[in-house]
Amino acid sequence: MKKLALSMRVTEASNYFEKRNSLAYDYIDFFESIGFLVIQIPNNTNRIKDYIKELNVDGIVLTGGNNVDPKLYGGKEELESVYHERDTREQQLVEIAKEKGIPLLGVCRGFHYVNVYFEGSIYHDVKNHVAKNHKLISEKALLSGLDTNSYHNQAIFRENLAKNLISIAHTEDGVIEAFVHESYKIMGIQWHPERHSTEQDKELILDFFNK
């Protein structure tokens, strides 16, 4: 059984005045349903390389939740739910994926982080993308016409996309919904396959991690 290492959201339990690592049940249910064993990577660990090496990880997923710090791409916005430790751990995970040739998938926030890591940026306050579904436009059969969910008010347009990332799907209004890296086995998707999974979602992700 292949093992996937998943990054985790930072949440704050106000009643206990403490930060917590968390991951929605949906991620576990989704990836286990398509045959993967999920390993959760905490944001406060200093032993990322040990997790990946000792557990013999076959793939990495950067999950949703929280915002990427705008300072990482020259942005001036003041956003809530920004955590330096998460940005740092996901930076390390991308670097390990590149170094070891481990497939890496970015989902929603993970999609944004991968773009920022490769020197792209993020557009804020995109219209008509919160609690909406969109049909994808793509030359790839697995993506063409795929009905995807949308839970974000941030987006990546062509002018925001990092130079070494290639758009493989977009919406009618030009929002990029999926990209791949030109050299590394890295893919990003804007939507959440774990929330309203389809057979196309499952096939797309299996195809990516199993090739």
Side-chain angles (χ1 to χ4, degrees):
M1 181 179 290
K2 287 196 172 184
K3 302 173 190 172
L4 295 185
L6 271 64
S7 68
M8 302 174 72
R9 178 195 292 256
V10 177
T11 56
E12 297 197 45
S14 57
N15 292 340
Y16 295 92
F17 305 102
E18 65 186 21
K19 291 181 181 177
R20 296 180 177 183
N21 296 291
S22 64
L23 190 68
Y25 281 18
D26 291 343
Y27 284 105
I28 310 296
D29 294 340
F30 176 75
F31 285 108
E32 285 191 354
S33 76
I34 55 175
F36 293 105
L37 181 66
V38 173
I39 297 165
Q40 301 176 56
I41 306 294
N43 291 291
N44 57 319
T45 183
N46 292 312
R47 305 186 68 175
I48 290 279
K49 288 187 176 180
D50 291 336
Y51 271 90
I52 304 303
K53 180 182 177 182
E54 296 300 324
L55 297 172
N56 196 25
V57 165
D58 300 291
I60 295 170
V61 181
L62 305 186
T63 64
N66 304 134
N67 287 308
V68 178
D69 188 349
K71 294 184 180 68
L72 296 178
Y73 51 93
K76 301 187 184 304
E77 297 82 5
E78 292 291 331
L79 301 179
E80 296 180 350
S81 192
V82 169
Y83 296 95
H84 173 71
E85 63 269 35
R86 181 166 186 189
D87 291 331
T88 299
R89 297 300 165 258
E90 293 197 347
Q91 175 188 346
Q92 293 172 330
L93 287 169
V94 176
E95 289 172 353
I96 290 169
K98 288 166 53 186
E99 178 187 347
K100 304 293 186 184
I102 299 171
L104 182 143
L105 172 68
V107 174
C108 198
R109 177 228 144 84
F111 168 88
H112 293 155
Y113 183 79
V114 169
N115 185 54
V116 168
Y117 176 90
F118 288 107
E119 302 184 358
S121 61
I122 300 172
Y123 179 89
H124 293 266
D125 296 322
V126 65
K127 306 303 180 189
N128 200 36
H129 276 261
V130 179
K132 301 283 186 179
N133 276 28
H134 302 277
K135 285 202 177 294
L136 301 189
I137 300 169
S138 176
E139 295 180 359
K140 295 188 174 294
L142 281 175
L143 291 168
S144 180
L146 181 63
D147 191 34
T148 61
N149 56 62
S150 183
Y151 296 94
H152 60 97
N153 61 0
Q154 299 173 320
I156 297 171
F157 290 91
R158 287 203 175 271
E159 58 267 30
N160 305 109
L161 190 64
K163 291 181 180 177
N164 42 14
L165 298 177
I166 301 166
S167 172
I168 57 171
H170 61 275
T171 58
E172 189 175 16
D173 58 356
V175 171
I176 293 173
E177 292 281 325
F179 59 63
V180 293
H181 193 279
E182 63 182 10
S183 303
Y184 300 110
K185 192 167 182 183
I186 292 174
M187 180 170 71
I189 57 175
Q190 175 65 86
W191 67 95
H192 284 263
E194 80 285 356
R195 291 186 180 175
H196 303 292
S197 65
T198 66
E199 290 307 311
Q200 278 179 277
D201 282 320
K202 293 176 180 179
E203 191 175 350
L204 174 70
I205 290 170
L206 283 169
D207 183 69
F208 174 70
F209 279 115
N210 290 334
K211 262 190 177 178

